[in-house]
Amino acid sequence: MDPEAFRSKMSGLAFGNVMAAAARDYQKATLVVQELLAQEKAQTSANANQEVDLDELMDDPELEKLHADRIAALKARNFKEVEKREALKRQGHGEYREISEGDFLGEVTGSEKVICHFYHKEFYRCKIMDKHLKSLAPRHVDAKFIKLDAENAPFFVAKLGIKTLPCVILFSERLKLDFCCRKGIAGDRLVGFQDLGGKDDFAIKTLENFLIKKGIIDEQKNDEDDDDVEDNSRGRSVRSSVNYGSDSD
């Protein structure tokens, strides 16, 4: 074979092979592009279906009914709580009141939880206790806060065994049963400041925590502590001629 013709033939074969390889690469690239386009289309379709499903869910009457029922239940609960608070206020809750000896039994037996401060009007520590109880009463409507002048209530002072003032007695249903039907001695009480650190400048939160621990009031959320009692005459005590003593003596 003529050498020139042989080279020409081989060159033609090589060019054909190159073109065939290029055609194969083009076909592969085309398949890859088609596959990517198909995946993108499928993803778009899925997103569209998801949006449709969410729209349908939001318009679901069952879901709307559940939501409405939930709102109604919350409103009913809030209404009951407000109604209960108003009923308690009509019974004398929500404020710190002074009562007489003749009112004592009716006040104590008329509420589930009662905090009664037996005081003497000239005792300095009784005035400190007054200040703190007056601040706590509006914040704890679940309990009734009252005070009774010990000098004007000799019968209950003797019956309850009160010997030191201030004396705060806590009446729950169980203790009221003991008081009215058994020995007449209430078990839960705060005598002087012995459970409040023994000092006149205890914080109102200390007293509040004591009452919460005794179960006579419920813990309140987001309550801020009141300022400590400050008085230039702190530590001063006033003696009385009555036969029970002041804790500040």
Side-chain angles (χ1 to χ4, degrees):
M1 178 180 292
D2 182 23
E4 187 65 29
F6 178 77
R7 285 197 299 272
S8 176
K9 184 175 182 179
M10 294 301 294
S11 177
L13 289 174
F15 178 76
N17 290 335
V18 170
M19 292 301 294
R24 288 194 300 271
D25 291 341
Y26 176 77
Q27 288 178 348
K28 290 180 180 179
T30 301
L31 291 174
V32 170
V33 171
Q34 290 177 346
E35 185 176 354
L36 291 174
L37 290 175
Q39 291 177 357
E40 182 178 358
K41 184 177 180 180
Q43 184 65 36
T44 302
S45 177
N47 292 338
N49 290 337
Q50 184 178 10
E51 291 177 0
V52 171
D53 291 341
L54 289 175
D55 291 338
E56 291 178 354
L57 184 62
M58 293 301 294
D59 295 333
D60 189 341
E62 290 297 326
L63 181 62
E64 291 183 357
K65 183 178 183 302
L66 289 174
H67 180 68
D69 290 345
R70 176 62 175 166
I71 295 298
L74 289 174
K75 288 182 178 179
R77 186 177 67 181
N78 291 337
F79 177 77
K80 289 181 179 179
E81 289 178 355
V82 171
E83 193 176 46
K84 180 181 179 181
R85 287 177 64 88
E86 292 302 318
L88 290 173
K89 286 182 178 180
R90 289 192 293 269
Q91 297 175 14
H93 292 235
E95 58 180 337
Y96 183 50
R97 298 179 295 111
E98 181 158 9
I99 64 170
S100 66
E101 186 175 47
D103 297 330
F104 180 76
L105 280 180
E107 292 283 358
V108 169
T109 58
S111 299
E112 292 183 3
K113 298 178 179 180
V114 181
I115 299 170
C116 184
H117 174 207
F118 284 83
Y119 77 100
H120 191 284
K121 59 186 177 182
E122 293 183 355
F123 286 177
Y124 176 60
R125 284 194 165 185
C126 291
K127 295 177 182 179
I128 296 176
M129 185 64 71
D130 270 343
K131 178 180 179 179
H132 288 321
L133 292 176
K134 184 177 180 179
S135 297
L136 289 175
R139 293 158 55 179
H140 296 278
V141 183
D142 50 315
K144 179 187 290 183
F145 288 73
I146 55 178
K147 65 178 182 176
L148 181 58
D149 189 338
E151 277 192 311
N152 297 326
F155 175 79
F156 289 109
V157 166
K159 191 171 181 63
L160 292 167
I162 297 173
K163 300 182 183 302
T164 303
L165 300 178
C167 181
V168 179
I169 299 185
L170 316 178
F171 293 93
S172 63
E173 286 299 315
R174 177 182 60 80
L175 295 178
K176 283 188 287 184
L177 179 64
D178 290 342
F179 175 72
C180 296
C181 303
R182 300 180 187 176
K183 298 179 181 179
I185 303 297
D188 284 339
R189 62 178 62 196
L190 175 61
V191 179
F193 294 169
Q194 62 187 18
D195 292 312
L196 304 174
K199 298 180 180 180
D200 294 354
D201 59 350
F202 67 89
I204 187 174
K205 191 66 177 178
T206 303
L207 174 59
E208 187 176 35
N209 288 337
F210 172 84
L211 297 175
I212 291 172
K213 184 179 179 180
K214 292 296 183 179
I216 201 70
I217 61 174
D218 297 326
E219 186 172 4
Q220 302 291 315
K221 295 181 179 180
N222 300 324
D223 276 347
E224 296 182 358
D225 294 347
D226 287 1
D227 293 334
D228 293 346
V229 174
E230 294 182 358
D231 195 297
N232 292 332
S233 59
R234 181 179 299 162
R236 175 176 58 86
S237 62
V238 180
R239 298 180 182 273
S240 173
S241 60
V242 293
N243 60 357
Y244 40 76
S246 166
D247 183 58
S248 60
D249 284 350

